[in-house]
Amino acid sequence: DLQIKIYSNKPLTKIIDFAAEKRNKDERFRDVWLVFDRDEVKNFDNIIEKAKKSKMNVAWSNPCFEIWLMSYFKNPGNISNSQSCCSKFGKIFIEKTGKNGYEKSEEKIYSILYEFGNEERAIERARQKYDSSKKECGVPSKMIGCTTVYKLVEELKRKIGDVLK
């Protein structure tokens, strides 16, 4: 009985309390994942730590989600701002898929990435970048070009595999 509920556009400063409230109302929601970008978030590291203390999982990207998407095609670089990251990913997306362009709102992004990219390599690339940056920098806000979205993808794949068995 795998159920996924997605809530978007919640203020980041209140996201943990919101998620805890939802989890406390329904026991089926044991595994909470918060997914967000560093962008210009000033208390990024504190939010991650508070979530972990609240027994929530965090899939963060620094600076933006496109770092994860880029991993399907190549090793993400040390891109420090969201605008540059999105622009770079857009160029890679066109080059690798032959599509006319990349839109953040693309509903079929996962299918496109799965078809033209390599999910196992994306996980491996993201994990390697995370591990090496963690040793060098220590805190997520300084781990430029990193993401932990791969952990969420691994968890989903594991749960879906369990459902299919």
Side-chain angles (χ1 to χ4, degrees):
D1 187 23
L2 178 63
Q3 292 185 6
I4 298 173
K5 288 220 181 212
I6 298 172
Y7 299 96
S8 57
N9 299 320
K10 300 295 174 198
L12 203 48
T13 55
K14 297 178 181 176
I15 195 169
I16 296 168
D17 293 336
F18 174 82
E21 180 184 320
K22 292 294 179 188
R23 179 177 60 191
N24 293 340
K25 283 184 181 178
D26 191 338
E27 66 186 32
R28 292 176 296 170
F29 300 117
R30 293 177 300 273
D31 297 328
V32 173
W33 281 87
L34 306 178
V35 181
F36 57 91
D37 300 340
R38 178 186 54 87
D39 285 323
E40 301 301 319
V41 176
K42 300 207 184 336
N43 56 350
F44 186 67
D45 298 321
N46 293 337
I47 293 170
I48 293 168
E49 281 308 307
K50 185 177 176 188
K52 288 179 181 179
K53 286 178 184 171
S54 298
K55 295 184 174 33
M56 294 180 191
N57 302 290
V58 182
W60 55 263
S61 298
N62 184 355
C64 63
F65 190 72
E66 281 72 10
I67 283 290
W68 165 245
L69 304 181
M70 199 177 300
S71 297
Y72 275 77
F73 302 119
K74 62 179 282 193
N75 286 322
N78 292 334
I79 306 166
S80 61
N81 73 61
S82 296
Q83 195 169 7
S84 296
C85 185
C86 289
S87 175
K88 184 168 183 163
F89 175 70
K91 290 174 186 168
I92 293 166
F93 183 80
I94 291 168
E95 175 189 319
K96 298 291 186 179
T97 66
K99 304 284 183 194
N100 292 329
Y102 164 68
E103 297 290 328
K104 274 186 154 306
S105 60
E106 172 60 62
E107 288 184 17
K108 296 181 180 177
I109 190 66
Y110 180 74
S111 297
I112 294 168
L113 292 171
Y114 199 81
E115 179 181 351
F116 293 97
N118 184 320
E119 188 167 80
E120 292 307 315
R121 287 284 293 138
I123 292 168
E124 183 181 314
R125 288 174 179 133
R127 181 184 292 109
Q128 287 173 349
K129 177 75 172 177
Y130 173 82
D131 290 343
S132 66
S133 292
K134 184 146 179 79
K135 287 177 189 170
E136 290 176 32
C137 307
V139 294
S141 62
K142 297 197 184 324
M143 296 169 68
I144 307 298
C146 283
T147 182
T148 59
V149 173
Y150 74 91
K151 294 178 181 184
L152 171 59
V153 173
E154 286 180 317
E155 179 74 9
L156 288 170
K157 288 174 68 111
R158 194 168 30 256
K159 296 224 187 241
I160 289 168
D162 290 346
V163 169
L164 296 177
K165 289 179 183 174

